[in-house]
Amino acid sequence: MPGFELFGDLERKEVNDVLDNGVLMRYGFDGMRNGHWKAKELEHELANTFNSHHVQLVSSGTAAVSVALASAGVGAGDEVIMPTFTFVASFEAIMMLGAIPVLVDIDDTLTLDPEAVKAAITPNTKAVMVVQMCGSMGDLNALQNICKQHKLLLIEDACQAIGGTYEGKPLGSIGDLGCFSFDFVKTITCGEGGAVITNNEEYYINADHYSDHGHDHIGNDRGAETHPFLGYNFRISELHAAVGLAQVRRLPEFIAIQKKHYTILRDAVASLPEVTFRRVPKGGEESYAFLNFFMPNLEIARKVVENFKTNGIDVCWNYFDNNWHYVKEWNHLKNQKSLFPLSSEVKQGLERIKNTSFDQSDHFIGRNISCLIKMSWTEEEVILRASKMVDAIKAAL
């Protein structure tokens, strides 16, 4: 991760095909495009990759979450349970619909704690969104059972975990709807882009219409299409889809490289008794996009990261003080810094977040170190990196 490290002839071929054809928009202009439909091709490839009946490409992973929720009827006043450890896009996508983000603790999987989810359910809860952070997954069977028992939607945000699996199923394909990001730093990239996947035909049709101003996409005359309901513009372009089309065909290659590099690094740091690893639920296999491990406490974790920096070991983080990915520094959310007035329901929900302690999340995030796995490293570079990491950790203990 990310796929842009390995751009090559396949990506150039697909992009040049769009430029030569001259149609950059995914819809319409049938006569000009001479049968070239990159977005449609990519949706077909993704459906095969994810073993899902339906795929709707959109403009980003953030858009994918909003479109997925909207397609299943989540909106104003509805509560969506989400984790304290994610990207800010998670609560942004929820709030854009007028829904209320309800943050709950994570566990040693670095994703939703099922017990915390159960405790957070109210009559207003409509969905549970598990975010498969840093290439791995939560306890999906437990979360599915909770959602079935309470008649809630299970939304999988697998934006950072493409290529991971659970009980033989691709991550993203297990919940009612799955969401992916193909931005510039994901395992496969479109530059900018995302996708909603589902086996529910109604949700798919809703996502298809909603992401394109409510167009019904019936017939061959875009100007004559009707609008069954309101929608917005979350379209992907043919240029972006062309890049993704080449990249998704290389996904097995990318995952194999990530796994090789991940394994070398993990085996090295596993030699240290003070190091423990995030729990991968039984039956799960990571995408190997990140190596995540725990130190004994926050102070040592911070020393390790500082030693990494001093020794030229990049792309490794402790997220405890990170203002993108962890609730502790989401002050703009807690303090309701919005350009437009928020509903009273959303305001009340954000007050709860502001006044809640997440001690269990602090326990795991404070001790965690997350290292991105690059595909452009040579094997020699990975082996050297592993040795430096071990030395840096020893020096911090």
Side-chain angles (χ1 to χ4, degrees), residues 325-369:
H325 292 93
Y326 188 54
V327 64
K328 178 174 171 288
E329 297 297 327
W330 289 344
N331 295 316
H332 62 312
L333 177 70
K334 298 173 189 176
N335 296 323
Q336 305 181 23
K337 298 293 186 180
S338 174
L339 292 177
F340 53 85
L342 301 173
S343 71
S344 59
E345 293 90 348
V346 170
K347 285 183 176 181
Q348 291 170 9
L350 298 187
E351 282 296 323
R352 291 200 299 269
I353 294 169
K354 185 176 182 179
N355 297 315
T356 300
S357 296
F358 296 101
D359 295 339
Q360 180 173 298
S361 297
D362 288 347
H363 171 72
F364 291 113
I365 292 299
R367 298 183 303 116
N368 176 248
I369 295 174

Side-chain angles (χ1 to χ4, degrees), residues 294-306 317-322 326 328 361-369 396:
F294 298 112
M295 299 309 303
N297 56 51
L298 172 61
E299 181 182 0
I300 293 174
R302 283 173 166 162
K303 287 181 180 178
V304 169
V305 171
E306 188 60 36
W317 305 275
N318 171 265
Y319 286 108
F320 191 68
D321 297 310
N322 182 286
Y326 188 54
K328 178 174 171 288
S361 297
D362 288 347
H363 171 72
F364 291 113
I365 292 299
R367 298 183 303 116
N368 176 248
I369 295 174

Side-chain angles (χ1 to χ4, degrees), residues 25-27 39 43 56-71 92-97 180 192-196 206-215 217 222 229-237 240:
M25 185 176 178
R26 76 155 296 177
Y27 296 114
E43 287 169 343
Q56 179 62 41
L57 284 173
V58 290
S59 54
S60 69
T62 312
V65 175
S66 281
V67 170
L69 291 169
S71 72
E92 292 169 348
I94 293 167
M95 292 173 64
M96 188 168 66
L97 300 172
F180 289 92
E192 289 286 358
V196 177
N206 289 344
D208 171 77
H209 297 2
Y210 181 76
S211 60
D212 183 30
H213 300 294
H215 277 268
H217 300 139
R222 182 170 173 81
F229 49 76
L230 294 170
Y232 297 90
N233 180 6
F234 296 112
R235 294 190 302 263
I236 195 171
S237 76
H240 290 96

Side-chain angles (χ1 to χ4, degrees), residues 109 111 132 136-140 165-166 171 280-281 284-286:
T109 67
T111 68
Q132 322 283 28
S136 191
M137 69 224 71
D139 286 307
L140 290 171
T165 61
Y166 182 70
L171 294 183
V280 178
E285 184 172 8
E286 299 181 64

Side-chain angles (χ1 to χ4, degrees), residues 236-287:
I236 195 171
S237 76
E238 287 287 272
L239 279 173
H240 290 96
V243 177
L245 183 59
Q247 289 256 300
V248 73
R249 290 168 176 164
R250 303 180 68 186
L251 181 59
E253 169 196 353
F254 292 172
I255 297 299
I257 295 170
Q258 288 181 170
K259 184 176 183 179
K260 178 181 177 182
H261 294 172
Y262 170 102
T263 302
I264 293 171
L265 296 178
R266 191 186 193 281
D267 288 349
V269 299
S271 66
L272 302 172
E274 297 85 356
V275 171
T276 56
F277 295 91
R278 88 184 292 176
R279 178 171 60 87
V280 178
K282 183 180 179 181
E285 184 172 8
E286 299 181 64
S287 71

